[in-house]
Amino acid sequence: MMDLNDLYREVIVDHNRSPRNFRRIDGATHTADGYNPLCGDRLTLSMKLEDGVIRDVAFEGSGCAISTASASLMTESLKGRTVAEAETLFDKFHRLLTAGGDENDPALGKLAVLAGVRQYPARIKCAILCWHAARAALHGDKSATTE
Ligand code: ZN
């Protein structure tokens, strides 16, 4: 395992071991597959939207600890958000990993535990994969890759 901050690592290990919302949604309104060829992470994201609000979001698939933990954390933070809020969160999370975004930004909540990933450029795509899949699903695309 990487040398991340202990608290952060604990949350990531927990979400990898017991991923939240690891299932497929019956009657999903939006789905997309995500693939990260660099690492081999694969996931299928499903969502149920009502009146522009993400009522439910879940994922299935297999990938490394970072991709699984990130997807688990993402499902928790997207539930109950509007599509516009989800887009804003995507941008903040992307900046957190790639451009030194602020891990103390309260909007990120628990997602901040993944800030340590930016020290490992090869793993950034593992962490961002689920977000690309979520955005693809919201845009009506069926698949997303990290390249
Ligand atoms: Zn990975």
Side-chain angles (χ1 to χ4, degrees):
M1 193 65 198
M2 299 177 285
D3 182 23
L4 295 175
N5 169 300
D6 281 350
L7 173 69
Y8 284 6
R9 184 167 51 203
E10 215 168 274
V11 176
I12 291 167
V13 166
D14 174 49
H15 276 263
N16 176 49
R17 218 174 261 161
S18 331
R20 318 304 195 264
N21 303 301
F22 191 82
R23 59 193 158 82
R24 189 178 290 252
I25 296 170
D26 284 335
T29 57
H30 295 69
T31 62
D33 296 320
Y35 176 48
N36 171 17
L38 273 184
C39 181
D41 310 312
R42 285 181 189 278
L43 56 84
T44 299
L45 196 95
S46 52
M47 288 185 186
K48 192 178 249 180
L49 263 78
E50 277 171 22
D51 303 325
V53 175
I54 300 168
R55 295 292 180 200
D56 199 5
V57 48
F59 78 105
E60 288 180 312
S62 63
C64 66
I66 295 294
S67 70
T68 302
S70 182
S72 173
L73 285 156
M74 182 191 76
T75 58
E76 285 196 322
S77 43
L78 285 184
K79 226 179 262 191
R81 303 254 187 188
T82 65
V83 172
E85 286 168 346
E87 294 279 354
T88 302
L89 207 51
F90 177 98
D91 289 338
K92 281 180 185 283
F93 186 68
H94 192 263
R95 274 205 303 278
L96 178 74
L97 293 186
T98 59
D102 180 8
E103 65 192 83
N104 297 312
D105 183 341
L108 286 168
K110 259 196 197 173
L111 298 172
V113 302
L114 290 158
V117 172
R118 64 181 164 217
Q119 299 164 48
Y120 306 88
R123 312 308 296 278
I124 290 172
K125 289 182 173 170
C126 302
I128 206 84
L129 173 65
C130 56
W131 288 89
H132 281 296
R135 197 157 68 162
L138 289 172
H139 290 188
D141 298 330
K142 288 295 161 213
S143 65
T145 60
T146 53
E147 285 178 320

